Amino acid sequence: MARRDFPYYRGAPVALSATGWVLALGGCVAGFLALILVPRGPLGGLPGLVAPLLFVILPLAGLTLGAGRGWMALFPRPRLLDILIGVAFAPLVLAVSGVVAFVFSRLGPAVSNPAAVIVAQLEGMRRLVFIGGTAPQLLGEEIVTLVPFLALLTLLHGRLGLSKHRAIAGAWILSAAIFGLLHLPTYGWNLLQVLLVIGAARLVLTIPYLLTKSVWSSFAAHLTLDWSIFALVLLGSARA
Protein backbone atom coordinates (compact mmCIF):
# COMPACT_ATOMS: atom_id res chain seq x y z
CA MET A 1 0.00 0.00 0.00
CA ALA A 2 1.56 3.29 -1.14
CA ARG A 3 2.27 5.76 1.59
CA ARG A 4 0.37 9.01 1.18
CA ASP A 5 1.73 12.51 1.59
CA PHE A 6 -0.03 15.85 1.87
CA PRO A 7 -0.88 17.26 -1.56
CA TYR A 8 0.41 20.49 -3.13
CA TYR A 9 3.07 21.57 -0.65
CA ARG A 10 5.86 19.76 -2.54
CA GLY A 11 4.34 20.26 -5.96
CA ALA A 12 2.55 16.91 -6.13
CA PRO A 13 0.24 16.26 -7.85
CA VAL A 14 0.45 19.94 -8.82
CA ALA A 15 2.05 23.04 -7.39
CA LEU A 16 -0.39 25.87 -6.88
CA SER A 17 0.80 29.33 -7.85
CA ALA A 18 0.10 32.33 -5.63
CA THR A 19 -2.94 33.02 -7.82
CA GLY A 20 -3.99 29.40 -7.49
CA TRP A 21 -3.92 29.60 -3.70
CA VAL A 22 -5.89 32.86 -3.80
CA LEU A 23 -8.56 31.12 -5.89
CA ALA A 24 -8.62 28.07 -3.60
CA LEU A 25 -8.85 30.15 -0.43
CA GLY A 26 -11.30 32.54 -2.09
CA GLY A 27 -13.57 29.56 -2.75
CA CYS A 28 -13.46 28.76 0.97
CA VAL A 29 -14.46 32.32 1.81
CA ALA A 30 -17.27 32.24 -0.76
CA GLY A 31 -18.54 28.94 0.63
CA PHE A 32 -18.57 30.25 4.18
CA LEU A 33 -20.41 33.42 3.13
CA ALA A 34 -23.00 31.29 1.35
CA LEU A 35 -23.42 29.19 4.47
CA ILE A 36 -24.20 32.16 6.70
CA LEU A 37 -25.96 34.45 4.20
CA VAL A 38 -28.13 32.25 1.95
CA PRO A 39 -31.68 32.17 3.38
CA ARG A 40 -32.70 28.75 4.68
CA GLY A 41 -36.41 29.19 5.25
CA PRO A 42 -38.19 27.27 8.00
CA LEU A 43 -35.97 24.92 10.00
CA GLY A 44 -35.99 21.42 8.59
CA GLY A 45 -37.26 22.49 5.17
CA LEU A 46 -35.64 21.39 1.91
CA PRO A 47 -34.51 24.97 1.04
CA GLY A 48 -32.31 24.73 4.09
CA LEU A 49 -30.07 22.28 2.19
CA VAL A 50 -28.98 24.89 -0.36
CA ALA A 51 -26.52 26.72 1.90
CA PRO A 52 -24.75 23.54 3.14
CA LEU A 53 -24.41 22.27 -0.43
CA LEU A 54 -22.93 25.59 -1.58
CA PHE A 55 -20.56 25.34 1.39
CA VAL A 56 -19.10 22.26 -0.34
CA ILE A 57 -19.45 23.28 -3.98
CA LEU A 58 -17.90 26.75 -3.84
CA PRO A 59 -14.66 25.76 -2.02
CA LEU A 60 -14.24 22.83 -4.43
CA ALA A 61 -14.85 25.18 -7.37
CA GLY A 62 -12.16 27.52 -6.06
CA LEU A 63 -9.74 24.62 -5.56
CA THR A 64 -10.50 23.38 -9.09
CA LEU A 65 -9.74 26.82 -10.52
CA GLY A 66 -6.49 26.90 -8.60
CA ALA A 67 -5.33 23.30 -8.98
CA GLY A 68 -7.16 21.99 -12.05
CA ARG A 69 -7.69 18.24 -11.90
CA GLY A 70 -5.31 18.24 -8.95
CA TRP A 71 -8.29 19.14 -6.74
CA MET A 72 -9.00 15.41 -6.49
CA ALA A 73 -5.83 14.94 -4.42
CA LEU A 74 -7.79 16.31 -1.48
CA PHE A 75 -10.01 13.22 -1.71
CA PRO A 76 -7.86 10.10 -2.09
CA ARG A 77 -9.73 6.85 -2.60
CA PRO A 78 -11.18 6.07 0.83
CA ARG A 79 -9.88 3.02 2.65
CA LEU A 80 -11.65 1.21 5.45
CA LEU A 81 -8.74 2.12 7.71
CA ASP A 82 -9.31 5.83 7.00
CA ILE A 83 -12.90 5.59 8.16
CA LEU A 84 -12.08 3.46 11.20
CA ILE A 85 -9.40 5.91 12.34
CA GLY A 86 -11.84 8.79 11.96
CA VAL A 87 -14.61 7.06 13.90
CA ALA A 88 -12.14 6.03 16.61
CA PHE A 89 -11.15 9.64 17.20
CA ALA A 90 -14.73 10.92 17.73
CA PRO A 91 -14.87 9.94 21.45
CA LEU A 92 -11.51 11.64 22.02
CA VAL A 93 -12.79 14.85 20.41
CA LEU A 94 -15.88 14.71 22.63
CA ALA A 95 -13.78 14.14 25.74
CA VAL A 96 -11.27 16.90 25.00
CA SER A 97 -13.90 19.46 24.03
CA GLY A 98 -15.99 18.48 27.07
CA VAL A 99 -13.09 19.00 29.48
CA VAL A 100 -12.10 22.31 27.89
CA ALA A 101 -15.75 23.46 27.85
CA PHE A 102 -16.12 22.55 31.54
CA VAL A 103 -13.03 24.55 32.46
CA PHE A 104 -14.13 27.45 30.26
CA SER A 105 -17.60 27.51 31.87
CA ARG A 106 -15.90 28.15 35.22
CA LEU A 107 -14.16 31.20 33.78
CA GLY A 108 -17.13 32.92 32.19
CA PRO A 109 -20.45 32.48 30.37
CA ALA A 110 -20.55 30.02 27.48
CA VAL A 111 -22.99 29.74 24.57
CA SER A 112 -24.48 26.31 23.86
CA ASN A 113 -24.52 24.77 20.39
CA PRO A 114 -27.86 25.81 18.82
CA ALA A 115 -27.93 22.77 16.49
CA ALA A 116 -28.52 20.40 19.41
CA VAL A 117 -31.44 22.52 20.60
CA ILE A 118 -32.94 22.60 17.10
CA VAL A 119 -32.71 18.81 16.72
CA ALA A 120 -34.59 18.36 19.99
CA GLN A 121 -37.34 20.78 18.89
CA LEU A 122 -37.97 19.44 15.39
CA GLU A 123 -40.00 16.34 14.66
CA GLY A 124 -40.48 13.79 11.91
CA MET A 125 -39.25 14.59 8.41
CA ARG A 126 -38.09 18.08 9.37
CA ARG A 127 -35.75 16.59 11.94
CA LEU A 128 -34.39 14.11 9.38
CA VAL A 129 -33.85 16.85 6.78
CA PHE A 130 -32.08 19.05 9.31
CA ILE A 131 -29.78 16.25 10.49
CA GLY A 132 -29.14 15.15 6.90
CA GLY A 133 -28.19 18.71 5.99
CA THR A 134 -25.45 18.68 8.59
CA ALA A 135 -23.54 16.06 6.53
CA PRO A 136 -22.63 18.39 3.62
CA GLN A 137 -22.07 21.21 6.10
CA LEU A 138 -19.56 19.11 8.04
CA LEU A 139 -17.83 18.10 4.80
CA GLY A 140 -17.65 21.79 3.94
CA GLU A 141 -16.12 22.49 7.33
CA GLU A 142 -13.44 19.91 6.63
CA ILE A 143 -12.65 21.46 3.25
CA VAL A 144 -12.45 25.04 4.55
CA THR A 145 -10.18 23.87 7.36
CA LEU A 146 -7.86 21.60 5.39
CA VAL A 147 -7.38 23.81 2.32
CA PRO A 148 -6.01 26.59 4.58
CA PHE A 149 -3.97 23.92 6.39
CA LEU A 150 -2.36 22.91 3.10
CA ALA A 151 -1.84 26.55 2.12
CA LEU A 152 -0.14 27.24 5.46
CA LEU A 153 1.95 24.07 5.12
CA THR A 154 3.09 25.21 1.69
CA LEU A 155 3.93 28.67 3.01
CA LEU A 156 5.75 27.52 6.13
CA HIS A 157 7.68 24.66 4.54
CA GLY A 158 8.12 25.75 0.94
CA ARG A 159 8.43 29.51 1.28
CA LEU A 160 9.70 30.10 4.81
CA GLY A 161 11.90 27.02 4.96
CA LEU A 162 10.62 25.46 8.18
CA SER A 163 11.20 21.76 8.64
CA LYS A 164 8.29 19.55 7.61
CA HIS A 165 7.35 18.68 11.19
CA ARG A 166 7.43 22.31 12.35
CA ALA A 167 5.47 23.41 9.31
CA ILE A 168 2.83 20.74 9.98
CA ALA A 169 2.57 21.81 13.63
CA GLY A 170 2.22 25.47 12.70
CA ALA A 171 -0.38 24.78 10.00
CA TRP A 172 -2.25 22.46 12.37
CA ILE A 173 -2.55 25.12 15.10
CA LEU A 174 -3.29 28.07 12.79
CA SER A 175 -5.93 26.18 10.78
CA ALA A 176 -7.63 25.16 14.06
CA ALA A 177 -7.74 28.82 15.06
CA ILE A 178 -9.29 29.70 11.69
CA PHE A 179 -11.88 26.96 12.18
CA GLY A 180 -12.71 28.36 15.61
CA LEU A 181 -13.09 31.90 14.26
CA LEU A 182 -15.55 30.66 11.63
CA HIS A 183 -17.84 29.69 14.52
CA LEU A 184 -18.04 33.19 15.96
CA PRO A 185 -21.58 33.83 14.59
CA THR A 186 -22.74 30.46 15.96
CA TYR A 187 -21.44 31.07 19.47
CA GLY A 188 -22.54 34.67 19.99
CA TRP A 189 -19.18 36.17 18.95
CA ASN A 190 -17.54 34.73 22.06
CA LEU A 191 -13.91 34.90 20.93
CA LEU A 192 -12.42 32.95 23.83
CA GLN A 193 -14.96 30.15 23.51
CA VAL A 194 -14.39 29.59 19.80
CA LEU A 195 -10.60 29.71 20.13
CA LEU A 196 -10.30 27.58 23.26
CA VAL A 197 -13.23 25.13 23.10
CA ILE A 198 -13.91 24.89 19.36
CA GLY A 199 -10.22 25.29 18.54
CA ALA A 200 -9.29 22.45 20.91
CA ALA A 201 -11.91 20.19 19.34
CA ARG A 202 -10.58 21.07 15.88
CA LEU A 203 -7.02 20.18 16.85
CA VAL A 204 -8.17 16.65 17.64
CA LEU A 205 -10.46 16.47 14.61
CA THR A 206 -7.53 17.22 12.33
CA ILE A 207 -5.37 14.40 13.71
CA PRO A 208 -7.12 11.70 11.60
CA TYR A 209 -6.24 13.77 8.53
CA LEU A 210 -2.64 14.12 9.68
CA LEU A 211 -2.45 10.34 10.08
CA THR A 212 -4.21 9.31 6.87
CA LYS A 213 -3.84 12.36 4.57
CA SER A 214 -7.50 11.76 3.72
CA VAL A 215 -10.36 14.21 4.15
CA TRP A 216 -12.65 11.20 4.45
CA SER A 217 -11.01 10.29 7.75
CA SER A 218 -11.48 13.66 9.46
CA PHE A 219 -14.97 13.89 7.95
CA ALA A 220 -15.83 10.51 9.47
CA ALA A 221 -14.62 11.77 12.85
CA HIS A 222 -16.61 14.99 12.54
CA LEU A 223 -19.79 13.31 11.37
CA THR A 224 -19.60 10.63 14.07
CA LEU A 225 -19.02 13.29 16.72
CA ASP A 226 -21.93 15.55 15.78
CA TRP A 227 -24.42 12.79 15.06
CA SER A 228 -23.52 11.11 18.35
CA ILE A 229 -24.28 14.37 20.13
CA PHE A 230 -27.62 14.57 18.31
CA ALA A 231 -28.39 10.98 19.33
CA LEU A 232 -27.61 11.76 22.97
CA VAL A 233 -29.82 14.87 22.85
CA LEU A 234 -32.73 12.91 21.35
CA LEU A 235 -32.27 10.12 23.88
CA GLY A 236 -32.31 12.62 26.69
CA SER A 237 -35.40 14.40 25.38
CA ALA A 238 -37.19 11.06 24.95
CA ARG A 239 -36.55 10.20 28.59
CA ALA A 240 -37.66 13.61 29.83
Side-chain angles (χ1 to χ4, degrees):
M1 185 180 295
R3 185 175 182 180
R4 294 174 180 157
D5 194 7
F6 300 110
Y8 315 132
Y9 82 109
R10 284 183 172 172
V14 295
L16 275 69
S17 64
T19 301
W21 280 118
V22 168
L23 290 170
L25 295 172
C28 293
V29 173
F32 177 70
L33 291 176
L35 180 69
I36 63 174
L37 295 178
V38 171
R40 299 199 181 199
L43 291 173
L46 290 177
L49 299 177
V50 174
L53 290 173
L54 288 175
F55 192 34
V56 174
I57 293 170
L58 293 177
L60 289 182
L63 183 60
T64 301
L65 291 173
R69 293 188 65 182
W71 74 269
M72 292 184 289
L74 194 65
F75 297 91
R77 180 177 296 178
R79 305 175 303 202
L80 178 59
L81 181 62
D82 299 334
I83 306 304
L84 293 177
I85 288 175
V87 172
F89 265 85
L92 180 60
V93 181
L94 186 60
V96 169
S97 58
V99 170
V100 176
F102 175 79
V103 173
F104 180 81
S105 67
R106 293 296 182 266
L107 301 176
V111 180
S112 61
N113 187 339
V117 178
I118 292 171
V119 166
Q121 293 176 342
L122 294 175
E123 296 180 351
M125 185 57 65
R126 287 189 174 275
R127 177 183 286 167
L128 292 177
V129 170
F130 180 84
I131 293 176
T134 62
Q137 180 167 331
L138 294 176
L139 180 58
E141 289 187 9
E142 292 307 306
I143 296 170
V144 302
T145 300
L146 298 177
V147 169
F149 167 85
L150 294 169
L152 289 163
L153 178 60
T154 303
L155 173 66
L156 296 174
H157 181 66
R159 300 285 182 174
L160 300 183
L162 272 65
S163 69
K164 180 180 178 180
H165 293 301
R166 289 185 178 182
I168 290 172
W172 177 49
I173 294 169
L174 291 173
S175 60
I178 293 170
F179 177 82
L181 292 173
L182 294 179
H183 286 75
L184 277 170
T186 303
Y187 290 91
W189 301 92
N190 190 323
L191 181 61
L192 285 178
Q193 182 174 358
V194 299
L195 288 178
L196 295 178
V197 182
I198 307 303
R202 182 67 246 182
L203 286 173
V204 185
L205 278 172
T206 302
I207 294 176
Y209 179 73
L210 300 181
L211 295 175
T212 65
K213 318 300 189 290
S214 172
V215 171
W216 299 119
S217 189
S218 56
F219 173 60
H222 208 160
L223 189 69
T224 302
L225 171 70
D226 280 35
W227 283 14
S228 296
I229 293 173
F230 293 156
L232 291 173
V233 169
L234 293 177
L235 182 61
S237 62
R239 290 181 174 179

Short mmCIF file of all heavy atoms in Angstrom, two decimals, residues 104-151:
data_model
loop_
_atom_site.label_atom_id
_atom_site.label_comp_id
_atom_site.label_asym_id
_atom_site.label_seq_id
_atom_site.Cartn_x
_atom_site.Cartn_y
_atom_site.Cartn_z
N PHE A 104 -13.76 26.12 30.76
CA PHE A 104 -14.13 27.45 30.26
C PHE A 104 -15.38 27.97 30.96
O PHE A 104 -15.49 29.17 31.25
CB PHE A 104 -14.35 27.39 28.75
CG PHE A 104 -14.74 28.72 28.15
CD1 PHE A 104 -13.78 29.67 27.86
CD2 PHE A 104 -16.07 29.02 27.88
CE1 PHE A 104 -14.13 30.90 27.32
CE2 PHE A 104 -16.43 30.24 27.33
CZ PHE A 104 -15.46 31.19 27.05
N SER A 105 -16.35 27.08 31.23
CA SER A 105 -17.60 27.51 31.87
C SER A 105 -17.35 28.05 33.27
O SER A 105 -18.16 28.83 33.79
CB SER A 105 -18.60 26.35 31.92
OG SER A 105 -18.13 25.32 32.80
N ARG A 106 -16.25 27.64 33.88
CA ARG A 106 -15.90 28.15 35.22
C ARG A 106 -15.27 29.54 35.14
O ARG A 106 -15.19 30.24 36.14
CB ARG A 106 -14.94 27.18 35.92
CG ARG A 106 -15.57 25.83 36.26
CD ARG A 106 -16.71 26.01 37.28
NE ARG A 106 -17.31 24.75 37.66
CZ ARG A 106 -18.39 24.24 37.09
NH1 ARG A 106 -18.96 24.88 36.07
NH2 ARG A 106 -18.91 23.09 37.51
N LEU A 107 -14.82 29.91 33.95
CA LEU A 107 -14.16 31.20 33.78
C LEU A 107 -15.11 32.29 33.32
O LEU A 107 -14.84 33.48 33.52
CB LEU A 107 -13.01 31.07 32.76
CG LEU A 107 -11.92 30.05 33.12
CD1 LEU A 107 -10.90 29.97 31.99
CD2 LEU A 107 -11.24 30.43 34.42
N GLY A 108 -16.20 31.92 32.69
CA GLY A 108 -17.13 32.92 32.19
C GLY A 108 -18.30 32.25 31.49
O GLY A 108 -18.35 31.03 31.35
N PRO A 109 -19.27 33.05 31.02
CA PRO A 109 -20.45 32.48 30.37
C PRO A 109 -20.09 31.84 29.04
O PRO A 109 -19.23 32.32 28.30
CB PRO A 109 -21.36 33.71 30.17
CG PRO A 109 -20.41 34.88 30.16
CD PRO A 109 -19.30 34.52 31.10
N ALA A 110 -20.76 30.74 28.74
CA ALA A 110 -20.55 30.02 27.48
C ALA A 110 -21.88 29.91 26.74
O ALA A 110 -22.95 29.86 27.35
CB ALA A 110 -19.97 28.64 27.74
N VAL A 111 -21.81 29.85 25.41
CA VAL A 111 -22.99 29.74 24.57
C VAL A 111 -23.11 28.29 24.11
O VAL A 111 -22.13 27.70 23.64
CB VAL A 111 -22.89 30.67 23.35
CG1 VAL A 111 -24.14 30.55 22.47
CG2 VAL A 111 -22.69 32.12 23.80
N SER A 112 -24.29 27.70 24.26
CA SER A 112 -24.48 26.31 23.86
C SER A 112 -24.63 26.20 22.34
O SER A 112 -24.96 27.18 21.66
CB SER A 112 -25.72 25.72 24.54
OG SER A 112 -26.87 26.46 24.17
N ASN A 113 -24.39 25.01 21.82
CA ASN A 113 -24.52 24.77 20.39
C ASN A 113 -26.00 24.78 20.00
O ASN A 113 -26.77 23.94 20.46
CB ASN A 113 -23.91 23.40 20.04
CG ASN A 113 -23.86 23.16 18.54
OD1 ASN A 113 -24.59 23.77 17.78
ND2 ASN A 113 -22.99 22.26 18.14
N PRO A 114 -26.42 25.71 19.15
CA PRO A 114 -27.86 25.81 18.82
C PRO A 114 -28.36 24.61 18.03
O PRO A 114 -29.56 24.31 18.06
CB PRO A 114 -27.94 27.09 17.99
CG PRO A 114 -26.57 27.30 17.44
CD PRO A 114 -25.64 26.76 18.48
N ALA A 115 -27.48 23.90 17.31
CA ALA A 115 -27.93 22.77 16.49
C ALA A 115 -28.55 21.68 17.35
O ALA A 115 -29.55 21.07 16.97
CB ALA A 115 -26.78 22.21 15.67
N ALA A 116 -27.98 21.43 18.53
CA ALA A 116 -28.52 20.40 19.41
C ALA A 116 -29.91 20.78 19.89
O ALA A 116 -30.80 19.92 19.98
CB ALA A 116 -27.58 20.20 20.59
N VAL A 117 -30.12 22.05 20.16
CA VAL A 117 -31.44 22.52 20.60
C VAL A 117 -32.46 22.36 19.47
O VAL A 117 -33.59 21.92 19.68
CB VAL A 117 -31.36 23.99 21.05
CG1 VAL A 117 -32.74 24.51 21.45
CG2 VAL A 117 -30.37 24.14 22.20
N ILE A 118 -32.04 22.69 18.25
CA ILE A 118 -32.94 22.60 17.10
C ILE A 118 -33.35 21.15 16.86
O ILE A 118 -34.53 20.86 16.61
CB ILE A 118 -32.24 23.18 15.84
CG1 ILE A 118 -32.05 24.69 15.99
CG2 ILE A 118 -33.06 22.88 14.59
CD1 ILE A 118 -31.18 25.31 14.92
N VAL A 119 -32.40 20.22 16.93
CA VAL A 119 -32.71 18.81 16.72
C VAL A 119 -33.75 18.33 17.72
O VAL A 119 -34.67 17.56 17.38
CB VAL A 119 -31.42 17.96 16.82
CG1 VAL A 119 -31.76 16.48 16.94
CG2 VAL A 119 -30.54 18.20 15.61
N ALA A 120 -33.64 18.77 18.96
CA ALA A 120 -34.59 18.36 19.99
C ALA A 120 -35.99 18.94 19.74
O ALA A 120 -37.00 18.32 20.08
CB ALA A 120 -34.09 18.78 21.36
N GLN A 121 -36.05 20.11 19.11
CA GLN A 121 -37.34 20.78 18.89
C GLN A 121 -38.07 20.26 17.66
O GLN A 121 -39.30 20.21 17.64
CB GLN A 121 -37.11 22.28 18.77
CG GLN A 121 -36.65 22.96 20.05
CD GLN A 121 -36.34 24.43 19.87
OE1 GLN A 121 -36.14 24.89 18.73
NE2 GLN A 121 -36.28 25.16 20.96
N LEU A 122 -37.34 19.89 16.62
CA LEU A 122 -37.97 19.44 15.39
C LEU A 122 -38.51 18.02 15.53
O LEU A 122 -38.07 17.26 16.40
CB LEU A 122 -36.96 19.49 14.24
CG LEU A 122 -36.47 20.88 13.82
CD1 LEU A 122 -35.40 20.76 12.75
CD2 LEU A 122 -37.62 21.74 13.32
N GLU A 123 -39.41 17.68 14.64
CA GLU A 123 -40.00 16.34 14.66
C GLU A 123 -40.11 15.78 13.25
O GLU A 123 -40.11 16.53 12.27
CB GLU A 123 -41.39 16.36 15.32
CG GLU A 123 -41.39 16.77 16.79
CD GLU A 123 -42.79 16.77 17.38
OE1 GLU A 123 -43.76 16.62 16.60
OE2 GLU A 123 -42.91 16.92 18.61
N GLY A 124 -40.19 14.46 13.16
CA GLY A 124 -40.48 13.79 11.91
C GLY A 124 -39.50 14.11 10.79
O GLY A 124 -38.29 14.13 10.97
N MET A 125 -40.07 14.36 9.59
CA MET A 125 -39.25 14.59 8.41
C MET A 125 -38.39 15.84 8.54
O MET A 125 -37.26 15.86 8.04
CB MET A 125 -40.17 14.71 7.17
CG MET A 125 -39.41 14.84 5.86
SD MET A 125 -38.25 13.46 5.56
CE MET A 125 -39.40 12.10 5.41
N ARG A 126 -38.90 16.86 9.21
CA ARG A 126 -38.09 18.08 9.37
C ARG A 126 -36.82 17.80 10.18
O ARG A 126 -35.76 18.34 9.89
CB ARG A 126 -38.92 19.17 10.04
CG ARG A 126 -39.98 19.77 9.12
CD ARG A 126 -40.63 21.00 9.73
NE ARG A 126 -41.53 21.63 8.79
CZ ARG A 126 -41.17 22.51 7.86
NH1 ARG A 126 -39.90 22.86 7.76
NH2 ARG A 126 -42.04 23.02 7.03
N ARG A 127 -36.93 16.95 11.17
CA ARG A 127 -35.75 16.59 11.94
C ARG A 127 -34.76 15.82 11.07
O ARG A 127 -33.55 16.08 11.12
CB ARG A 127 -36.15 15.74 13.15
CG ARG A 127 -34.96 15.24 13.97
CD ARG A 127 -35.42 14.36 15.10
NE ARG A 127 -36.05 15.14 16.16
CZ ARG A 127 -36.76 14.60 17.16
NH1 ARG A 127 -36.94 13.29 17.20
NH2 ARG A 127 -37.29 15.37 18.09
N LEU A 128 -35.26 14.89 10.25
CA LEU A 128 -34.39 14.11 9.38
C LEU A 128 -33.71 15.00 8.35
O LEU A 128 -32.50 14.82 8.06
CB LEU A 128 -35.20 13.02 8.67
CG LEU A 128 -35.74 11.89 9.54
CD1 LEU A 128 -36.59 10.93 8.71
CD2 LEU A 128 -34.59 11.14 10.20
N VAL A 129 -34.44 15.94 7.77
CA VAL A 129 -33.85 16.85 6.78
C VAL A 129 -32.77 17.71 7.43
O VAL A 129 -31.69 17.92 6.86
CB VAL A 129 -34.94 17.73 6.14
CG1 VAL A 129 -34.31 18.85 5.29
CG2 VAL A 129 -35.87 16.89 5.28
N PHE A 130 -33.06 18.20 8.63
CA PHE A 130 -32.08 19.05 9.31
C PHE A 130 -30.80 18.26 9.61
O PHE A 130 -29.69 18.73 9.35
CB PHE A 130 -32.67 19.61 10.60
CG PHE A 130 -31.71 20.50 11.36
CD1 PHE A 130 -31.58 21.84 11.03
CD2 PHE A 130 -30.92 19.98 12.40
CE1 PHE A 130 -30.67 22.66 11.71
CE2 PHE A 130 -30.03 20.79 13.08
CZ PHE A 130 -29.90 22.14 12.73
N ILE A 131 -30.95 17.06 10.17
CA ILE A 131 -29.78 16.25 10.49
C ILE A 131 -29.03 15.86 9.22
O ILE A 131 -27.79 15.91 9.16
CB ILE A 131 -30.19 15.00 11.28
CG1 ILE A 131 -30.72 15.40 12.67
CG2 ILE A 131 -29.01 14.05 11.44
CD1 ILE A 131 -31.25 14.25 13.49
N GLY A 132 -29.79 15.49 8.17
CA GLY A 132 -29.14 15.15 6.90
C GLY A 132 -28.36 16.31 6.33
O GLY A 132 -27.29 16.12 5.75
N GLY A 133 -28.87 17.53 6.51
CA GLY A 133 -28.19 18.71 5.99
C GLY A 133 -26.89 19.01 6.71
O GLY A 133 -26.05 19.75 6.18
N THR A 134 -26.71 18.45 7.89
CA THR A 134 -25.45 18.68 8.59
C THR A 134 -24.31 17.90 7.93
O THR A 134 -23.14 18.26 8.11
CB THR A 134 -25.54 18.29 10.07
OG1 THR A 134 -25.81 16.89 10.19
CG2 THR A 134 -26.61 19.09 10.78
N ALA A 135 -24.60 16.85 7.17
CA ALA A 135 -23.54 16.06 6.53
C ALA A 135 -22.75 16.89 5.52
O ALA A 135 -21.52 16.98 5.62
CB ALA A 135 -24.12 14.80 5.90
N PRO A 136 -23.42 17.54 4.52
CA PRO A 136 -22.63 18.39 3.62
C PRO A 136 -22.01 19.57 4.35
O PRO A 136 -20.91 20.01 3.98
CB PRO A 136 -23.65 18.85 2.57
CG PRO A 136 -24.99 18.64 3.19
CD PRO A 136 -24.83 17.47 4.09
N GLN A 137 -22.67 20.10 5.36
CA GLN A 137 -22.07 21.21 6.10
C GLN A 137 -20.77 20.78 6.79
O GLN A 137 -19.78 21.51 6.78
CB GLN A 137 -23.05 21.77 7.13
CG GLN A 137 -22.46 22.94 7.92
CD GLN A 137 -23.49 23.70 8.72
OE1 GLN A 137 -24.66 23.76 8.33
NE2 GLN A 137 -23.08 24.29 9.82
N LEU A 138 -20.77 19.59 7.38
CA LEU A 138 -19.56 19.11 8.04
C LEU A 138 -18.46 18.81 7.03
O LEU A 138 -17.28 19.05 7.30
CB LEU A 138 -19.87 17.87 8.87
CG LEU A 138 -20.81 18.09 10.06
CD1 LEU A 138 -21.12 16.77 10.75
CD2 LEU A 138 -20.20 19.08 11.05
N LEU A 139 -18.83 18.30 5.85
CA LEU A 139 -17.83 18.10 4.80
C LEU A 139 -17.26 19.44 4.37
O LEU A 139 -16.04 19.57 4.16
CB LEU A 139 -18.45 17.37 3.61
CG LEU A 139 -17.51 17.11 2.43
CD1 LEU A 139 -16.30 16.28 2.87
CD2 LEU A 139 -18.26 16.41 1.30
N GLY A 140 -18.13 20.45 4.26
CA GLY A 140 -17.65 21.79 3.94
C GLY A 140 -16.70 22.32 5.00
O GLY A 140 -15.68 22.97 4.68
N GLU A 141 -17.00 22.04 6.25
CA GLU A 141 -16.12 22.49 7.33
C GLU A 141 -14.75 21.84 7.23
O GLU A 141 -13.73 22.48 7.52
CB GLU A 141 -16.76 22.20 8.70
CG GLU A 141 -17.95 23.08 9.01
CD GLU A 141 -18.47 22.89 10.43
OE1 GLU A 141 -17.79 22.20 11.22
OE2 GLU A 141 -19.54 23.43 10.74
N GLU A 142 -14.73 20.57 6.82
CA GLU A 142 -13.44 19.91 6.63
C GLU A 142 -12.66 20.56 5.50
O GLU A 142 -11.45 20.81 5.61
CB GLU A 142 -13.65 18.42 6.34
CG GLU A 142 -14.19 17.63 7.51
CD GLU A 142 -13.35 17.83 8.76
OE1 GLU A 142 -12.12 17.62 8.69
OE2 GLU A 142 -13.91 18.22 9.80
N ILE A 143 -13.34 20.86 4.40
CA ILE A 143 -12.65 21.46 3.25
C ILE A 143 -12.09 22.84 3.60
O ILE A 143 -10.93 23.15 3.30
CB ILE A 143 -13.61 21.55 2.05
CG1 ILE A 143 -14.02 20.14 1.60
CG2 ILE A 143 -12.94 22.30 0.89
CD1 ILE A 143 -15.15 20.13 0.59
N VAL A 144 -12.92 23.68 4.27
CA VAL A 144 -12.45 25.04 4.55
C VAL A 144 -11.48 25.09 5.72
O VAL A 144 -10.93 26.15 6.02
CB VAL A 144 -13.64 26.00 4.81
CG1 VAL A 144 -14.59 26.04 3.62
CG2 VAL A 144 -14.37 25.65 6.09
N THR A 145 -11.25 23.96 6.36
CA THR A 145 -10.18 23.87 7.36
C THR A 145 -8.91 23.32 6.73
O THR A 145 -7.81 23.84 6.97
CB THR A 145 -10.59 22.95 8.52
OG1 THR A 145 -11.75 23.47 9.16
CG2 THR A 145 -9.46 22.85 9.55
N LEU A 146 -9.04 22.30 5.89
CA LEU A 146 -7.86 21.60 5.39
C LEU A 146 -7.23 22.29 4.19
O LEU A 146 -6.01 22.17 3.98
CB LEU A 146 -8.23 20.15 5.06
CG LEU A 146 -8.69 19.36 6.29
CD1 LEU A 146 -9.11 17.95 5.90
CD2 LEU A 146 -7.60 19.32 7.35
N VAL A 147 -8.00 23.01 3.39
CA VAL A 147 -7.38 23.81 2.32
C VAL A 147 -6.48 24.90 2.92
O VAL A 147 -5.33 25.04 2.49
CB VAL A 147 -8.44 24.38 1.37
CG1 VAL A 147 -7.82 25.42 0.42
CG2 VAL A 147 -9.09 23.27 0.55
N PRO A 148 -6.94 25.67 3.91
CA PRO A 148 -6.01 26.59 4.58
C PRO A 148 -4.84 25.88 5.24
O PRO A 148 -3.72 26.40 5.25
CB PRO A 148 -6.89 27.30 5.61
CG PRO A 148 -8.25 27.26 5.03
CD PRO A 148 -8.33 25.93 4.33
N PHE A 149 -5.08 24.69 5.82
CA PHE A 149 -3.97 23.92 6.39
C PHE A 149 -2.90 23.65 5.34
O PHE A 149 -1.70 23.85 5.59
CB PHE A 149 -4.49 22.60 6.96
CG PHE A 149 -3.40 21.62 7.30
CD1 PHE A 149 -2.75 21.68 8.52
CD2 PHE A 149 -3.01 20.64 6.39
CE1 PHE A 149 -1.72 20.78 8.84
CE2 PHE A 149 -1.99 19.74 6.69
CZ PHE A 149 -1.35 19.82 7.93
N LEU A 150 -3.31 23.22 4.16
CA LEU A 150 -2.36 22.91 3.10
C LEU A 150 -1.69 24.18 2.57
O LEU A 150 -0.50 24.15 2.21
CB LEU A 150 -3.07 22.17 1.97
CG LEU A 150 -3.58 20.77 2.35
CD1 LEU A 150 -4.48 20.21 1.26
CD2 LEU A 150 -2.42 19.82 2.61
N ALA A 151 -2.44 25.28 2.53
CA ALA A 151 -1.84 26.55 2.12
C ALA A 151 -0.78 26.99 3.12
O ALA A 151 0.31 27.44 2.74
CB ALA A 151 -2.93 27.62 1.97
#
